[in-house]
Amino acid sequence: MSTAPIKQIHLAAHFPGVNNTTVWSDPAAGSHIDFDSFVHFARTAERAKLDFLFLAEGLRLREQGGKIYDLDVVGRPDTFTVLAALAAVTDRIGLTGTINSTFNEPYEVARQFASLDHLSEGRAAWNVVTSWDAFTGENFRRGGFLPRGDRYSRAREFLATANELFDSWDGSEIVADAGSGAFLRDARAGAFAHRGQHFDIEGRFNVPRSPQGRPVIFQAGDSEEGREFAAAGADAIFGRYGTLDEGRAFYTDVKGRLAKYGRTHDQLKILPAATFVLGDTDAEAHESAHEVRRLQVSGQTAIKYLEHVWNRDLSAYDPDGPLPAIDPEVGENTIALGRASVRQFRDPLETARQWRELARAKNLSIRELVIATTADQTFVGSAATIAESINELVQADAADGFILVPHITPGGLDVFADTVIPLLQEKGVFRTEYEGATLRDHLGLSVPVPDPARQPAP
């Protein structure tokens, strides 16, 4: 009999972005732009006592075959603007935003997150991502991008520089003494000087220390560099392994890297993305899940997905027919622009060979193959089945919790909040009330102490 303590589950909600996870054409779906949609989603997450709401980022409209890709949702509002507005209509839910470290500058990002942490009274989190996408880089003033090998070098220095800015205030500087007319106790407030490979900046940071000291730091990459980056400085990982074996392997690998950075097992939370389809019974849920997958992968979507591998115009092919007999075009992918997922097919000829073999073995059409080879729903079943599955994965150290991604926006989270959450609460593995005010409180993370070595000399 195991003597391991029962882990408390961390749960969050991702407002779906521009991908075919979202079934925007479903009559139950709402706007992905209107603020009312964000409010409904955030308030449902807060009603369910989830840790935080998560927003992804898209910095350029995706294109395919020379046209804007419009089979999925197109466009989304600015992350900071949405999160700042949500801070005013929510009280406890954490507010996590994805901001790129390749195309931005540390001063402006640190200032925005410190401001969000003040506005939300300690609920801000930053998902630090990188890019080497020249197509997206054209939208920015530097007009380019970084070589792949340099993106994490810049990201590490970007985060270190932002932390220097956050720590340039220790929280004791403001006295605001009306009698003496003195506002500051310490004239060094906000002073910083950073000299490095990517940034050479000096001045004064103008946002006083925020309730969390620094925002909670997330990382979402899965590469070797991304895992090291997370182990060295992130508070949580937005992962992608939602099964027992893959989850445990990732969990063990990343948590095992913490010690060499002087960090403990609990200082990094592993939170994979998770989709779900609920039904009154397991059989009903599985039937619904099949229909959801058919809606997520239309015939047109299947052809476009296949083009990511073949790097060719395949619009003449029948999605209900066999895979193309011609081979993929090898080299830089030029047919799909602004979509990170095409990079996963690093050997398109080998991918095509494997897919042809699978299609022949199971007699799959193009659409059926795409459905079979793309992400399936993480959790399918009745509320009791899903609650048990989530708890088993967390207790088995396949994750510390999950970031839920409903396929209907903004109302898809409601049924989970009303049926699964109460069962987790009955099991004693999920909170019934928020126990703290900040996101660090929700995640069980301590408030960072400013490094004295970073403070400027008096």
Side-chain angles (χ1 to χ4, degrees):
M1 182 175 179
S2 173
T3 58
I6 297 175
K7 292 170 64 177
Q8 289 294 299
I9 296 170
H10 295 285
L11 291 174
H14 179 195
F15 189 97
V18 288
N19 55 59
N20 71 325
T21 299
T22 306
V23 183
W24 63 267
S25 58
D26 190 296
S31 170
H32 290 72
I33 303 295
D34 291 349
F35 185 53
D36 285 348
S37 291
F38 291 98
V39 172
H40 180 105
F41 195 78
R43 285 179 170 166
T44 301
E46 189 168 65
R47 173 167 62 83
K49 316 300 180 191
L50 303 193
D51 289 13
F52 59 90
L53 175 147
F54 184 97
L55 292 184
E57 180 187 55
L59 298 175
R60 181 164 179 173
L61 296 182
R62 295 172 300 161
E63 297 180 13
Q64 189 151 338
K67 299 178 181 177
I68 291 175
Y69 185 88
D70 66 350
L71 294 179
D72 301 338
V73 173
V74 176
R76 50 184 151 191
D78 173 70
T79 295
F80 274 114
T81 306
V82 173
L83 293 182
L86 289 176
V89 297
T90 56
D91 296 313
R92 308 298 282 276
I93 189 84
L95 302 168
T96 303
T98 302
I99 297 294
N100 200 296
S101 63
T102 302
F103 303 124
N104 294 296
E105 297 295 326
Y107 188 92
E108 61 186 350
V109 171
R111 188 166 184 267
Q112 289 166 317
F113 272 110
S115 299
L116 179 63
D117 208 41
H118 276 289
L119 290 174
S120 65
E121 298 181 311
R123 296 185 281 139
W126 171 19
N127 180 36
V128 185
V129 296
T130 66
S131 177
W132 71 92
D133 180 2
F135 174 73
T136 302
E138 291 174 354
N139 267 355
F140 292 85
R141 59 183 176 275
R142 289 185 290 110
F145 63 105
L146 287 175
R148 181 176 180 178
D150 289 348
R151 62 193 181 113
Y152 272 107
S153 167
R154 179 182 168 92
R156 284 191 292 272
E157 189 177 339
F158 194 114
L159 180 58
T161 307
N163 285 337
E164 291 172 23
L165 297 170
F166 294 135
D167 288 353
S168 65
W169 293 72
D170 68 14
S172 66
E173 296 90 345
I174 295 177
V175 292
D177 185 343
S180 67
F183 197 86
L184 284 178
R185 183 199 309 276
D186 188 344
R188 298 173 300 170
F192 69 89
H194 176 90
R195 312 287 182 214
Q197 177 186 356
H198 298 280
F199 308 107
D200 186 352
I201 56 175
E202 181 175 358
R204 287 184 181 274
F205 189 55
N206 66 351
V207 184
R209 194 162 183 81
S210 68
Q212 294 190 112
R214 305 172 195 163
V216 174
I217 300 299
F218 279 73
Q219 190 273 340
D222 183 38
S223 64
E224 177 67 20
E225 299 99 321
R227 295 183 187 209
E228 284 298 312
F229 179 76
D235 297 305
I237 293 181
F238 182 11
R240 64 190 183 96
Y241 300 112
T243 61
L244 180 63
D245 292 340
E246 288 184 331
R248 291 186 77 172
F250 182 75
Y251 190 97
T252 301
D253 177 80
V254 177
K255 296 249 182 179
R257 299 172 188 240
L258 292 170
K260 67 180 174 183
Y261 296 103
R263 308 181 68 200
T264 62
H265 186 271
D266 292 336
Q267 287 182 292
L268 181 68
K269 307 299 180 185
I270 310 294
L271 305 172
T275 57
F276 60 89
V277 177
L278 275 155
D280 289 339
T281 65
D282 288 354
E284 180 185 299
H286 281 281
E287 184 176 341
S288 296
H290 176 73
E291 292 304 313
V292 170
R293 290 296 293 144
R294 297 281 294 176
L295 292 171
Q296 290 172 327
V297 184
S298 68
Q300 287 179 294
T301 300
I303 293 295
K304 295 297 185 186
Y305 186 81
L306 208 66
E307 289 180 349
H308 298 169
V309 176
W310 260 255
N311 196 22
R312 293 173 181 267
D313 179 359
L314 302 177
S315 56
Y317 284 79
D318 179 1
D320 295 319
L323 267 65
I326 57 173
D327 281 335
E329 287 274 359
V330 177
E332 181 184 1
N333 194 307
T334 56
I335 198 164
L337 299 174
R339 186 186 288 272
S341 60
V342 299
R343 299 176 191 128
Q344 68 183 296
F345 306 114
R346 294 179 180 175
D347 186 344
L349 292 174
E350 176 60 17
T351 301
R353 186 194 65 76
Q354 292 175 2
W355 284 5
R356 285 176 178 139
E357 189 173 299
L358 177 63
R360 276 195 299 269
K362 296 192 174 183
N363 193 29
L364 302 177
S365 68
I366 289 175
R367 187 181 185 189
E368 290 168 337
L369 176 92
V370 172
I371 289 174
T373 56
T374 55
D376 207 345
Q377 312 299 344
T378 311
F379 299 114
V380 178
S382 67
T385 296
I386 290 180
E388 188 60 31
S389 297
I390 290 174
N391 190 38
E392 285 179 356
L393 289 170
V394 171
Q395 303 308 329
D397 282 345
D400 292 311
F402 293 93
I403 299 176
L404 305 168
V405 190
H407 61 274
I408 299 293
T409 304
L413 190 63
D414 297 36
V415 64
F416 191 98
D418 293 332
T419 61
V420 180
I421 291 294
L423 296 177
L424 294 173
Q425 291 170 332
E426 287 178 12
K427 291 176 180 290
V429 294
F430 191 71
R431 68 172 68 87
T432 56
E433 293 294 340
Y434 288 110
E435 297 175 356
T438 72
L439 178 53
R440 287 188 179 277
D441 292 334
H442 305 342
L443 291 168
L445 299 169
S446 59
V447 175
V449 177
D451 183 352
R454 288 178 175 159
Q455 300 305 303

